Amino acid sequence: MKPTAIGAGFGNRGAFWAGVAAVITGVILHLPMYLQASDMGYRLAGMPLDAPMLLGMVLIVGGLAATVWGLIPRDHPDALASDVHIRVRALDEAPINKAHVALMLVMAAAVTIDVMKPATLSFVLPGMTREYGLRSPLHPTGSIPAALLPLAGITGTVLGSFLWGWLGDRIGRRPSILMAAMAFIATSICGSMPSFALNMVMCFVMGLGVGGMLPIMFTMMAETIPARHRGWLLVLIGGDVAGAYIITSWLAAALVPSLSWRILWLIGFPTGVLLILLSRWIPESPRFLLAHGRTDEAAAIMKRYGAVIVPEPRSQLAVESGGSGMGDLLRPPFLRATVVVVLLGLGIGLVSFGFQLWIPSNLQKLGLPEGEANRLLRNSAIIGFPLNFLVAWLYGFWSSKKTLILVTALTALSLFGFVLAGSSVATNRFLLYALLVMPIWGVSSVIAVLSAYSTEIFPTRLRSRGSGVAAGFSKAGGVVIIALVALAVAPPSIADTALIGALPMALAAVAVALFGPETRKRQLEEITAEQLGARETLSRA
């Protein structure tokens, strides 16, 4: 199978690659300061920025600007007005072939790389707290709240989710993914920043890329994978959220004791470069191209997937006609779907960035050594990881709606268990493992299911925005709880963070039961037609 040329359909291939080279060079110029501090345990706090680092920052900023310029398609403004009459069902009738497999493998790697970024936050906080003397459960006498770092990062992810959702619907899915990958490479310099303020800035920018990439990747997969396989494959690939946590916790346990917390940020450099290289096997979404009148490009990509464009008197995308702005998500007929993803997103955010974020620090506060706490969390993720296959099967072959209700309700029940057990949970290792599996692995499964579900229930012209809303609100819950922690309004004990997460997760399960449409093995346009009350319109298309 021949990979897609990275410059195809982009404004300026040369500008993109020149920007990539500049960003990579800029990151490399930040490494000497970190390496030279090996005899000091890699402590850089209070050290001034040297000349190579300043030059590196200039190269990174200029390189990012060049890559953005190179990624904007030349034909974007004219394409939006096109109206193409085609048979999109061909995409759903095509058998799985090598092109589908390559896309799914690359997307699985991309999901893992993306989710490793926010997962890293909880593992760098203990070491960063000690180096900068921050205030946290491990260091209550510090002057600056440690929670400001994750607050900056998660705020970035909220903004990034909405921004990249807009970009994905305007300039394309693939250019948006590449923009996020470049942000990963650039912000790996966080590991060499000598001040806490600079760490916060880098963490915010990193959040912009992280928040945007995940919903765009799921949007692309939903629009490309045949309907009969779409559900279970999306959830299975989304299960890499748990895999990312396993990898991050393993790296923390193996590397942090000898190379300090900074190494976890620096790992973003090689993983970001890897993602850029893998993107050669990520073509643009055929549905996006068809909806924007780029028929020739769509035909070439569909041919690789074993599908062909069949001319029709009326486009099957006609059922999705109408507005394509963010306001359409807040009006019928898509308001109910928006309510579902918003409530689920808030619940996920409060668990991920409330309970999960502070669990390494809380376990150490209860007396567990740092290495043992990290291993316990890693083992909890490993124990639950095989269940991803069961959840994927249930979503794809039983019921997407019922599966979402099930995993959400089980996560809420497990969190209520922590509320009842309180701090005494650390004295019973079996109970601790049993209760940790769902908040550590289970919420990852909810994220995977929500990521798949939110790309199925919105039309093509709103799909990227809709999945961005789901991702954005999943981080917005984190902003709320981390801000409360930073203001010392909500002490991040195990019981408190569990309760804050359990309540919205329970409400979300009810919302799905009341408002969520069934999507199992259904064509995307059919799901949209049902919400519009226009089944006959679709059948005539």
Side-chain angles (χ1 to χ4, degrees):
M1 179 188 62
K2 183 179 179 181
T4 301
I6 197 166
F10 290 10
N12 193 313
R13 181 179 184 180
F16 174 78
W17 282 113
V20 171
V23 171
I24 290 176
T25 302
V27 172
I28 292 174
L29 289 174
H30 283 76
L31 298 180
M33 177 176 281
Y34 167 78
L35 297 174
Q36 292 167 8
S38 60
D39 57 345
M40 300 183 296
Y42 300 97
R43 293 177 62 91
L44 303 178
M47 297 181 66
L49 296 173
D50 58 19
M53 292 179 71
L54 293 173
L55 175 60
M57 289 183 180
V58 173
L59 287 172
I60 289 172
V61 173
L64 288 175
T67 56
V68 171
W69 174 259
L71 286 170
I72 298 176
R74 292 191 185 95
D75 58 349
H76 163 62
D78 296 331
L80 287 177
S82 300
D83 182 21
V84 184
H85 301 283
I86 45 80
R87 185 169 181 263
V88 294
R89 190 182 298 274
L91 283 167
D92 292 314
E93 294 172 343
I96 294 291
N97 63 14
K98 291 182 180 179
H100 291 103
V101 173
L103 176 66
M104 289 182 288
L105 289 176
V106 171
M107 286 295 167
V111 168
T112 302
I113 292 171
D114 181 80
V115 178
M116 283 176 64
K117 310 304 176 185
T120 296
L121 282 170
S122 61
F123 294 100
V124 302
L125 275 176
M128 183 178 288
T129 296
R130 288 189 289 268
E131 180 166 344
Y132 292 114
L134 308 175
R135 186 172 75 244
S136 79
L138 297 176
H139 191 249
T141 60
S143 57
I144 301 175
L148 290 178
L149 180 81
L151 180 60
I154 304 309
T155 300
T157 64
V158 173
L159 297 177
S161 296
F162 293 112
L163 174 61
W164 256 260
W166 175 80
L167 283 173
D169 281 336
R170 295 290 288 179
I171 68 172
R173 316 324 191 191
R174 186 169 181 271
S176 301
I177 290 175
L178 291 173
M179 287 182 187
M182 291 306 302
F184 291 172
I185 298 174
T187 55
S188 64
I189 63 173
C190 189
S192 296
M193 292 295 100
S195 72
F196 181 61
L198 287 173
N199 272 278
M200 288 179 58
V201 172
M202 291 297 104
C203 198
F204 173 79
V205 179
M206 178 270 291
L208 290 175
V210 169
M213 179 174 282
L214 199 62
I216 297 295
M217 289 188 296
F218 276 94
T219 294
M220 178 175 286
M221 289 187 288
E223 293 176 342
T224 307
I225 299 173
R228 61 185 179 279
H229 299 293
R230 185 185 62 236
W232 71 271
L233 283 174
L234 284 176
V235 176
L236 188 62
I237 293 173
D240 277 349
V241 172
Y245 195 90
I246 293 172
I247 294 172
T248 304
S249 58
W250 173 74
L251 289 172
L255 301 180
V256 169
S258 58
L259 298 174
S260 89
W261 57 271
R262 295 179 179 275
I263 191 63
L264 296 180
W265 288 133
L266 293 172
I267 288 172
F269 177 37
T271 56
V273 172
L274 175 63
L275 189 53
I276 292 293
L277 297 176
L278 291 176
S279 68
R280 288 176 59 84
W281 283 269
I282 305 176
E284 182 55 273
S285 160
R287 273 186 167 92
F288 172 83
L289 294 173
L290 292 170
H292 289 74
R294 295 159 63 178
T295 313
D296 292 341
E297 294 175 69
I301 294 173
M302 289 175 68
K303 184 177 180 180
R304 292 179 54 197
Y305 289 121
V308 294
I309 294 181
V310 180
E312 293 285 335
R314 186 180 184 187
S315 173
Q316 288 184 315
L317 295 176
V319 71
E320 301 182 345
S321 62
S324 59
M326 189 68 74
D328 292 284
L329 298 175
L330 304 177
R331 294 189 290 267
F334 301 113
L335 178 59
R336 287 190 171 190
T338 302
V339 169
V340 168
V341 299
V342 165
L343 287 176
L344 275 168
L346 285 174
I348 289 170
L350 293 172
V351 176
S352 299
F353 302 103
F355 185 87
Q356 271 193 8
L357 179 64
W358 295 103
I359 192 64
S361 297
N362 275 323
L363 291 176
Q364 293 176 52
K365 184 180 179 182
L366 294 177
L368 277 69
E370 181 176 7
E372 183 179 353
N374 290 342
R375 285 191 295 272
L376 189 149
L377 294 172
R378 177 200 62 194
N379 294 341
S380 297
I382 291 174
I383 291 170
F385 187 75
L387 296 176
N388 285 325
F389 299 97
L390 175 61
V391 173
W393 183 88
L394 291 172
Y395 187 90
F397 298 97
W398 176 49
S399 167
S400 59
K401 179 175 179 177
K402 293 177 182 177
T403 301
L404 189 51
I405 295 171
L406 178 64
V407 294
T408 303
L410 287 176
T411 303
L413 289 174
S414 181
L415 290 167
F416 281 125
F418 274 101
V419 175
L420 296 175
S423 299
S424 63
V425 71
T427 62
N428 188 328
R429 190 58 53 89
F430 177 80
L431 178 62
L432 184 57
Y433 268 117
L435 292 179
L436 273 176
V437 168
M438 285 307 296
I440 298 301
W441 161 80
V443 75
S444 300
S445 185
V446 179
I447 293 173
V449 174
L450 175 60
S451 297
Y453 196 67
S454 63
T455 61
E456 295 179 310
I457 59 179
F458 294 106
T460 300
R461 290 183 180 273
L462 293 173
R463 186 164 293 119
S464 184
R465 288 178 175 87
S467 59
V469 167
F473 274 91
S474 71
K475 310 302 188 301
V479 171
V480 172
I481 192 168
I482 294 172
L484 291 176
V485 171
L487 295 172
V489 174
S493 69
I494 287 180
D496 289 340
T497 54
L499 180 61
I500 291 172
L503 291 175
M505 289 295 280
L507 289 175
V510 175
V512 177
L514 293 176
F515 304 130
E518 178 62 54
T519 65
R520 181 179 65 90
K521 294 185 179 181
R522 301 176 66 190
Q523 187 184 5
L524 296 175
E525 291 73 29
E526 179 186 347
I527 298 168
T528 299
E530 179 183 351
Q531 296 181 81
L532 291 169
R535 286 182 179 274
E536 293 183 2
T537 300
L538 181 67
S539 63
R540 290 195 301 266

